[in-house]
Every structure is written in C-alpha cells, then in structure tokens.
Amino acid sequence: MTRPLMLAGALTLALAATAACGGGGAGGDQTAAGDGRGPITFTDTQSHEEASRKVIDAWNAAHPDEKVTLDIQPKDADSQRQRLINNAQTKSDAMDVIMLDAVWTAEFAANRWVDELPADTVKSDDLLAPTLETAEYRGKLYAMPWLTGTGLLYYRKDLVDKAPTTWAEMKETCDKVLPKQKGMSCYAGLLDKYEGLTVSFAEAVQSAGGTVLDDSGTPTLETDAAKAGLNFLVDGLKSGLIPKEGITFKEDEVKNALQTGKVLFARSWASLYGTANAPDSPVTGKVDVAPIPGLDGPGSGTLGGANLAISAFSKHKATARDFLAFFTAGEQMKTWATINSTPVARTGLYDDQDLIAKYPYLRSLKEGVLKAKARPVAVKYGDVTSAIQNAVYPALTGEVTPDEALSGLQQQLSGLLKQ
C-alpha cells in the first residue's frame, strides 16, 4: 500500500473512531445523529467537473450502495458561498462533502456548519504545510486540504533572458525591452475591485516584508512595509509600469493582455499556463513562469485553493468520511491532476515526472506555495475583504493617498475583528 493510501486509510479510521466516541466535532449531537451510510452528494464547481467525475466514477464502481452524486455550484465564488450558507442555515442534509474556498474555513467552523476532523491523521510531509493551515480553525482541523496555488509571474521568455526577483529588476528589464516593443506595457495584475484586489494587495504587502494581520489577528497596516506594498501598485499605475486600463483587470483581462502582447509580465494563477501555451495561443512557446518578485527579493504570494469538509447536517457521515479520504488520497489526486491543471495539495505530486511533463510550472509553483500566506483569517471574511477593496481601490485611482487608505483600513479592520 502506498504512503498516500495508508494516510487516507488512517484518516478514515480516525474519523470513524472520533465520530463513534461523539468526538468534539463542530456539529455536536448532529454528528452522532447523522453518522450513517448511504448515498451522498459532493458539492463542487463546474471548472472541476471532468476531473471530479473521473474520481467519483471510480468510487461509485466500488461502492454501489454508497454512490456519490456530483452537485455543481454556481460559477462565481460569492454565489457559491451564499448557497453553502443557505444550506447550512436551514440545516439541510442535501449536501454531504462540500468544497470550501480555503479562506472560508474559519466562518464555517465557527458557525458549526462543518464537522471537526482529527488533525493528527493528516499532519505529514505528504501535504504542503501552508495548505494545512488553511484547513484549521483555532488549532483544530475542520477540512482536508485538496487544491492549492498561489500567484505566478508570467513572462515572455522570447524577450527576457531570466525572470526578475525584485520589483526594481522588473522595472529595469521593462526599461530595456519596451522601447523596442510597440504598444507593450510592463506589468498586469488583478486590480479591479473584487476579490482579486484583496489578493494583490496582500501579496504586495507581504512581498515588501509586511503583513495585513499579525499572528494575533491584529491589523498591521500603518507600517513601512505596508506602505511600500501599496505604493508599488499606486506608483505603478502613475508611472505607466502598469497600464491605465490595468485597474479594470481580472483574470480574463490579464490573460488577454499577456496573449495579445500588451504586457511583458503578468501575475496570474497556474491555470493560465495551459491557456497561454495552447496551440492556438498567439504566444505559445514564448511564455514561462517564475515566483512573483518582491521589494528586496522573491515575493510572497497569496495562498489560494480549496478544501473539502463534511457538512454538520449530513445523514451519511460515515460514507462522507470514507469518500473524503478516498478522494484526497495521492492516487486519486494524481488522477484528478492529470485531467485538471488546478494544483493539488500533496507534496509528492510536485516531483512526479508525469505531471511535470504535463505542467512544467510545478517546481516554480511549489516554491511559491511554500512562501505564500493565506488571506486574512476571519470569521467575517466577507466584511474584511470588502473593507480592503473599499480602502485600496480609491488609492489606486488617486482619490486618496496611500497613507490615508492604510490608516482608514487599519481602523476599520480593527473594529471588524473585535466584533
């Protein structure tokens, strides 16, 4: 038996033992009441459908009395979150195993919408350490790390000899290359007023050596590092390092800017690699990736990804636990990753030669993930990210100064996080 499968089996047994003892799960009595076997539903997103169905089919073939039905979520994250919340608030048993954005763990755990999982069964070298942190709340495990990822710097390798490791190096490279490239700007990132702006702001602050929140959960935004991070974005728009239209960019706009030759460098997720190097892409074979740059050296990205949790209101939790363990075992993760380019959380798969041949960016991505940090952990994350966007966007447009934006955000987050 391979090590990932041994871990999966240990997870299943430990979870079952915990439930049988009435284990201190977030669902309380609901955990014991729903600890049965039978058909379950796995709630996932459409972008994962093909790969997830492949793994589900393997499970269903071996478990004809405990078949899994795939429940497809809406496309956008806000709608996904609201649908999951509606299900939990009505204590519906319509969902069993659910996919949570890595940043939703605290909210769902604090509200007892998902069950606690025993942490000692998954703390191993087989999981990228930062992914495990996104599945925890107050030191306890409430989800199983599944997908992960962080920002990568895409660059035109036909025009650039090597990727920059600092913001200054990126600017120097652009100053040399751009005069010969008509209509090309230097850099594009996620700067429209949506979740991507929270990601970009956090990355800029972290890449300057700062944090949005410290280890105690206190905002730390009136610091030199926070100012340097925000100024990188503000000054970039003022100077033309970032094109003016870059303030409206989400993932699709960044992709288009890179593929149509409008930018030399672009920050995006791993999923862009396959698109940029597809046979019909104008820049196929001309794009490579590296960790994002920072103020004085390689930067620190925002940790993205998704975890799998068990609904506190499921009636068939024994089956849900077995399926969760099966789905996230190394063998199934490799099957999944062979079909879908979204990176998975198992460390060993980043050194798997089959996957490296298919996704050459894996080594750069692993380096980035290990330096990445999660978005601010907060029960009221929706309020926190809205506050960040509402403070940072006016600074990018020049309506307020960076100092004013950071001071106001410090006060607002302090109030939100005390509640």
Side-chain angles (χ1 to χ4, degrees):
M1 182 180 292
T2 64
R3 179 171 173 79
L5 288 177
M6 290 174 65
L7 286 172
L11 172 62
T12 301
L13 292 173
L15 286 171
T18 299
C21 295
D29 292 338
Q30 182 69 27
T31 302
D35 198 20
R37 291 192 173 276
I40 61 170
T41 297
F42 173 38
T43 299
D44 196 1
T45 66
Q46 187 173 10
S47 61
H48 303 156
E49 183 173 1
E50 181 183 1
S52 292
R53 285 195 186 279
K54 179 74 171 180
V55 179
I56 289 171
D57 286 347
W59 167 274
N60 286 346
H63 302 83
D65 297 326
E66 300 175 90
K67 287 191 174 181
V68 175
T69 298
L70 184 60
D71 170 43
I72 298 297
Q73 282 273 56
K75 185 176 181 180
D76 67 284
D78 289 342
S79 297
Q80 292 169 17
R81 173 177 166 272
Q82 191 57 55
R83 185 167 177 261
L84 292 173
I85 289 174
N86 291 344
N87 185 83
Q89 289 178 336
T90 59
K91 298 185 178 181
S92 170
D93 62 358
M95 299 178 182
D96 299 283
V97 177
I98 60 175
M99 188 202 78
L100 298 178
D101 186 295
V103 81
W104 299 342
T105 303
E107 178 181 18
F108 278 72
N111 284 289
R112 298 181 177 231
W113 294 335
V114 294
D115 282 350
E116 180 190 338
L117 307 179
D120 58 350
T121 62
V122 292
K123 282 188 175 179
S124 73
D125 293 339
D126 291 297
L127 290 169
L128 292 164
T131 69
L132 193 60
E133 295 175 8
T134 70
E136 295 176 341
Y137 175 65
R138 293 188 174 180
K140 297 180 180 180
L141 195 73
Y142 285 89
M144 181 67 182
W146 175 34
L147 305 178
T148 189
T150 191
L152 289 168
L153 183 71
Y154 288 78
Y155 66 97
R156 289 284 299 274
K157 65 180 181 180
D158 59 324
L159 302 176
V160 177
D161 292 332
K162 65 176 183 177
T165 60
T166 68
W167 295 333
E169 288 177 6
M170 184 168 70
K171 183 179 183 304
E172 290 172 5
T173 301
C174 288
D175 288 343
K176 293 178 182 178
V177 173
L178 295 186
K180 302 176 184 178
Q181 303 298 319
K182 186 177 180 181
M184 180 178 278
S185 295
C186 184
Y187 173 79
L190 311 175
L191 296 181
D192 201 357
K193 192 178 179 182
Y194 78 119
E195 184 64 17
L197 181 57
T198 298
V199 168
S200 295
F201 171 69
E203 287 184 344
V205 172
Q206 292 161 195
S207 296
T211 58
V212 177
L213 306 180
D214 64 17
D215 291 340
S216 70
T218 302
T220 51
L221 295 167
E222 294 180 300
T223 64
D224 290 342
K227 292 175 184 177
L230 182 54
N231 280 329
F232 164 66
L233 301 176
V234 171
D235 293 344
L237 285 162
K238 285 182 180 178
S239 68
L241 182 83
I242 303 170
K244 290 182 180 180
E245 62 269 26
I247 203 168
T248 66
F249 281 10
K250 297 181 181 178
E251 282 82 356
D252 281 349
E253 288 77 15
V254 170
K255 175 193 71 175
N256 292 336
L258 180 69
Q259 291 196 151
T260 57
K262 291 183 178 179
V263 292
L264 185 60
F265 298 101
R267 182 267 180 228
S268 194
W269 308 101
S271 56
L272 176 56
Y273 187 90
T275 304
N277 286 294
D280 60 348
S281 169
V283 293
T284 188
K286 299 178 181 179
V287 173
D288 207 346
V289 296
I292 63 171
L295 178 62
D296 298 316
S300 171
T302 295
L303 191 66
N307 302 322
L308 299 182
I310 296 175
S311 168
F313 311 103
S314 168
K315 288 184 177 180
H316 296 151
K317 292 182 183 178
T319 298
R321 289 192 294 270
D322 284 353
F323 174 72
L324 186 152
F326 173 85
F327 196 88
T328 57
E331 182 180 347
Q332 276 63 247
M333 277 197 178
K334 180 173 179 178
T335 296
W336 198 96
T338 302
I339 300 170
N340 191 298
S341 63
T342 305
V344 294
R346 292 280 180 194
T347 306
L349 296 180
Y350 287 78
D351 300 314
D352 184 284
Q353 293 305 309
D354 294 336
L355 292 178
I356 290 173
K358 188 176 180 66
Y359 309 120
Y361 58 77
L362 282 178
R363 289 199 173 102
S364 291
L365 182 63
K366 182 179 180 181
E367 182 181 345
V369 168
L370 292 175
K371 293 180 180 179
K373 296 179 182 178
R375 281 164 283 178
V377 176
V379 173
K380 295 185 176 181
Y381 179 76
D383 293 336
V384 170
T385 187
S386 292
I388 292 172
Q389 295 166 39
N390 289 333
V392 172
Y393 198 76
L396 300 185
T397 60
E399 297 174 49
V400 300
T401 67
D403 284 351
E404 289 171 339
L406 293 171
S407 177
L409 184 56
Q410 175 77 21
Q411 293 180 9
Q412 190 166 6
L413 290 184
S414 295
L416 281 173
L417 295 170
K418 283 180 181 179
Q419 295 176 11

